[in-house]
């Protein structure tokens, strides 16, 4: 397949080699690059630097070790500058692990820069420094303390320690921080959480996320026997930090799926877990809240069409894989009217489904709560389930295209699981199955785009085969 101008800058091995050649500490051996991951590769669009129209951006996670010290991971923002455009101006820069480090890799046309603090997410720095984290969390914990299960009262809530772990981070946009708590009181109360989860957003965006969680907590979901959600503990407006309870769990549904498809037979727990998940999602869809923007088919289809056009302009082999698939998806969208809008998770994946300690189901990550037809959540959930089963189990880091027989075997296994899941869902709430299949088609097409954007042609070909298999049943 024909290569793109930025292909080498999107592959960790080439980036690692270029850094080893260009960065003084790595060249001298005083520091060692022990890991490099490339994520969130995308067109810079209107955010491209002046004179660098057509640039792309990515996040580079660089794991660096100094001597015998514990390795640290730096999140570097990368700008991939197209041929003919001027590189960013060279600025004085501190060492590799210093605030504001930058580097130009000419052979890759890649500019990298790091920040120790994220100016758009002031709450992140507050949570990752222990003293400020204790100061931030204590008032929120006091507001929820002092109930009948907490005999010590709110005034007794004092933290002796807070260990923060950044679970996910999209620079400048959002972060999720898990905080393990240690209390100063010598008589701890079981009513006080041993851990909380803090969601960090831009201050002007965090309030809507917290308000949606408050609405969910005020709905029938709070006491639903089908599902547990996190309790909102408070919001710090000036920092964009929303704090919620932590749901203790054994594993996620994604973990269980991966375990099941790593071997020849299904884990016997999987079907029961999927049926339980279906009941929990149905409880969400029927909880009655009205928060969130409305998701419409026409808008989502147009967004995917625009992404395809932009990506096809720089990844020449993409259109060979997609062919007329998007036109067929669009035509299928005309055949069945959407179901009425309901409360929706908005980004529902098996990784957001928790199998709780002691039994039961938890749902997390309601950052994109919306109003949408139920098929939006169900289509994304089933697509991610297929992706895990086919592409995320038993494959090497640089996967090749699956042979047709293995692809069919895994897809057929997922079909049976999807049927059990949807049957259980429809016992609790209505949904038009053709609409679920339609949204699956759009999400499967998005998987092709995602693989192409990461410059994984074999993975993209496998995803295109999954899409064609799905469309063939839908076209009939």
């Amino acid at each position: 397949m024909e290569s793109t101008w930025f292909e080498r800058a999107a592959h960790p091995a080439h980036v690692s080699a270029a850094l080893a050649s260009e960065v003084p500490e790595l060249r001298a051996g005083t520091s060692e690059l022990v890991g490099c991951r490339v994520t969130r590769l995308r067109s810079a669009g209107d955010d491209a630097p002046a004179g660098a129209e057509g640039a792309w951006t990515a996040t580079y996670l660089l794991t660096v070790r100094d001597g015998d010290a514990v390795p640290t991971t730096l999140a570097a923002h990368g700008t991939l500058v197209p041929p003919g455009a001027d590189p960013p101006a060279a600025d004085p820069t501190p060492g590799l692990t210093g605030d504001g480090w930058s580097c130009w890799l000419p052979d890759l046309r890649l500019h990298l820069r790091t920040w120790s603090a994220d100016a758009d997410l002031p709450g992140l720095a507050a949570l990752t420094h222990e003293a400020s984290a204790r100061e931030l969390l204590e008032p929120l914990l006091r507001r929820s303390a002092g109930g009948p299960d907490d005999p010590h009262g709110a005034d007794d809530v004092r933290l002796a320690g807070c260990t923060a772990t950044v679970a996910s981070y999209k620079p400048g946009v959002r972060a999720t921080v898990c905080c393990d708590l240690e209390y100063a009181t010598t008589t701890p109360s079981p009513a006080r959480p041993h851990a909380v989860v803090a969601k960090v957003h831009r201050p002007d965006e965090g309030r809507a996320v917290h308000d949606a969680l408050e609405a969910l907590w005020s709905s029938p979901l709070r006491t639903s026997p089908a599902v547990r959600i996190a309790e909102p503990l408070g919001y710090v407006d000036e920092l964009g930090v929303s704090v919620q309870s932590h749901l203790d769990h054994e594993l996620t549904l994604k973990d269980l799926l991966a375990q099941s498809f790593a071997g020849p037979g299904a884990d016997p727990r999987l079907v029961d877990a999927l049926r339980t998940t279906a009941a929990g999602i149905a409880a969400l869809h029927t909880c009655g809240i009205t928060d969130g923007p409305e998701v419409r088919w026409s808008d989502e289809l147009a967004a995917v069409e625009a992404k395809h056009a932009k990506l096809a302009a720089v990844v020449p082999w993409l259109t060979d894989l997609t062919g007329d698939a998007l036109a067929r998806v669009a035509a299928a969208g005309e055949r069945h009217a959407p179901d009425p809008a309901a409360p929706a998770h908005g980004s529902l994946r098996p990784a957001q489904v928790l199998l709780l300690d002691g039994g039961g189901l938890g749902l997390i990550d309601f950052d994109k709560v919306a109003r949408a037809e139920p098929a939006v959540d169900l289509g994304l959930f089933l697509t991610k389930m297929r992706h895990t089963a086919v592409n995320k189990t038993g494959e090497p880091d640089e996967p090749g295209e699956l042979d047709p027989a293995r692809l069919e075997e895994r897809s057929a296994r997922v079909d049976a699981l999807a049927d059990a899941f949807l049957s259980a869902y429809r016992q609790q709430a209505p949904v038009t199955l053709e609409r679920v299949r339609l949204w699956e088609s759009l999400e499967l097409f998005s998987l092709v785009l995602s693989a192409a954007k990461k410059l994984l042609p074999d993975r993209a070909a496998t995803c295109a085969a999954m899409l064609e298999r799905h469309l063939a049943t839908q076209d009939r």
Side-chain angles (χ1 to χ4, degrees):
M1 291 183 178
E2 186 180 348
S3 63
T4 66
W5 64 265
F6 57 79
E7 185 165 349
R8 295 179 70 247
H11 280 282
H14 294 303
V15 176
S16 297
L19 286 167
S21 174
E22 296 288 339
V23 176
E25 300 97 312
L26 300 178
R27 196 167 56 238
T30 55
S31 295
E32 180 185 6
L33 183 66
V34 296
C36 175
R37 286 180 55 215
V38 185
T39 67
R40 305 200 64 79
L41 178 67
R42 61 190 57 216
S43 170
D46 294 337
D47 295 327
E53 289 75 13
W56 284 61
T57 63
T59 297
Y60 291 77
L61 301 176
L62 310 176
T63 303
V64 179
R65 179 169 53 209
D66 293 335
D68 295 329
V70 176
T72 58
T73 298
L74 314 173
H77 177 76
T79 302
L80 290 67
V81 182
D86 294 330
D91 295 322
T93 180
L96 176 58
T97 58
D99 185 24
W101 169 83
S102 65
C103 179
W104 170 245
L105 303 177
D107 289 346
L108 304 183
R109 301 200 59 78
L110 172 62
H111 181 259
L112 295 171
R113 182 178 177 186
T114 63
W115 294 267
S116 63
D118 192 325
D120 291 321
L121 300 178
L124 184 58
L127 286 163
T128 52
H129 292 79
E130 186 171 359
S132 58
R134 293 200 310 266
E135 183 179 350
L136 185 157
L137 293 173
E138 277 185 1
L140 303 184
L141 293 168
R142 290 190 185 108
R143 291 175 201 166
S144 60
D149 296 326
D150 186 2
H152 307 296
D155 292 340
D156 190 54
V157 176
R158 289 180 295 110
L159 291 177
C162 175
T163 302
T165 301
V166 179
S168 65
Y169 176 40
K170 181 181 178 183
V173 180
R174 59 181 174 270
T176 299
V177 183
C178 297
C179 302
D180 293 309
L181 307 177
E182 179 185 352
Y183 292 90
T185 178
T186 57
T187 312
S189 166
R192 296 179 184 176
H194 64 87
V196 295
V197 176
K199 295 294 187 98
V200 186
H201 292 81
R202 299 185 186 104
D204 59 337
E205 296 178 356
R207 169 57 70 179
V209 173
H210 183 71
D211 287 349
L213 189 58
E214 290 272 15
L216 289 166
W217 189 249
S218 299
S219 78
L221 286 184
R222 179 172 182 169
T223 56
S224 171
V227 65
R228 282 183 59 194
I229 63 172
E231 177 185 1
L233 301 177
Y235 180 69
V236 183
D237 198 38
E238 64 274 16
L239 295 177
V241 173
S242 176
V243 180
Q244 57 192 253
S245 63
H246 178 270
L247 299 182
D248 294 333
H249 58 282
E250 297 179 8
L251 72 171
T252 69
L253 184 62
K254 180 181 179 181
D255 296 330
L256 186 57
L257 278 164
Q259 291 174 15
S260 182
F261 277 86
D267 188 309
R269 299 174 294 171
L270 184 54
V271 172
D272 286 343
L274 283 169
R275 288 174 175 150
T276 302
T277 299
I281 296 171
L284 166 64
H285 290 168
T286 57
C287 74
I289 71 165
T290 58
D291 290 67
E294 186 165 354
V295 177
R296 298 180 179 86
W297 168 257
S298 58
D299 295 336
E300 297 304 305
L301 176 63
V304 170
E305 289 173 336
K307 289 178 183 177
H308 177 257
K310 183 176 291 185
L311 190 58
V314 291
V315 181
W317 45 263
L318 175 60
T319 53
D320 294 336
L321 293 178
T322 53
D324 65 347
L326 196 53
R328 292 158 68 191
V329 172
E334 300 293 328
R335 291 199 284 267
H336 299 279
D339 290 328
H345 185 281
S347 59
L348 185 64
R349 295 161 167 80
Q352 271 78 53
V353 179
L354 308 182
L355 306 180
L356 301 178
D357 291 349
L361 184 88
L363 284 181
I364 59 172
D365 294 343
F366 289 95
D367 296 27
K368 295 185 179 179
V369 164
R371 297 279 300 169
E373 58 175 315
V376 172
D377 276 350
L378 302 179
L380 175 59
F381 176 84
L382 291 174
T383 299
K384 292 301 182 182
M385 190 168 79
R386 293 184 186 280
H387 188 39
T388 297
V390 173
N391 295 319
K392 297 285 189 174
T393 55
E395 297 300 315
D397 290 338
E398 295 291 341
E401 185 179 353
L402 287 182
D403 69 84
R406 189 177 180 202
L407 175 60
E408 178 59 32
E409 182 270 333
R410 290 190 170 215
S411 296
R413 286 173 64 184
V414 178
D415 287 345
L417 293 171
D419 288 345
F421 170 81
L422 289 172
S423 176
Y425 179 91
R426 296 180 81 196
Q427 292 175 20
Q428 306 293 328
V431 67
T432 301
L433 292 181
E434 289 82 3
R435 296 296 297 186
V436 177
R437 297 187 184 102
L438 174 67
W439 282 95
E440 277 191 85
S441 297
L442 194 65
E443 296 295 345
L444 285 166
F445 193 93
S446 294
L447 285 185
V448 180
L449 298 187
S450 178
K453 186 171 68 174
K454 296 172 184 175
L455 302 179
L456 298 173
D458 290 331
R459 171 67 58 79
T462 296
C463 293
M466 293 166 63
L467 172 63
E468 177 56 36
R469 180 184 186 274
H470 186 78
L471 286 175
T473 63
Q474 190 169 272
D475 288 343
R476 292 198 291 267

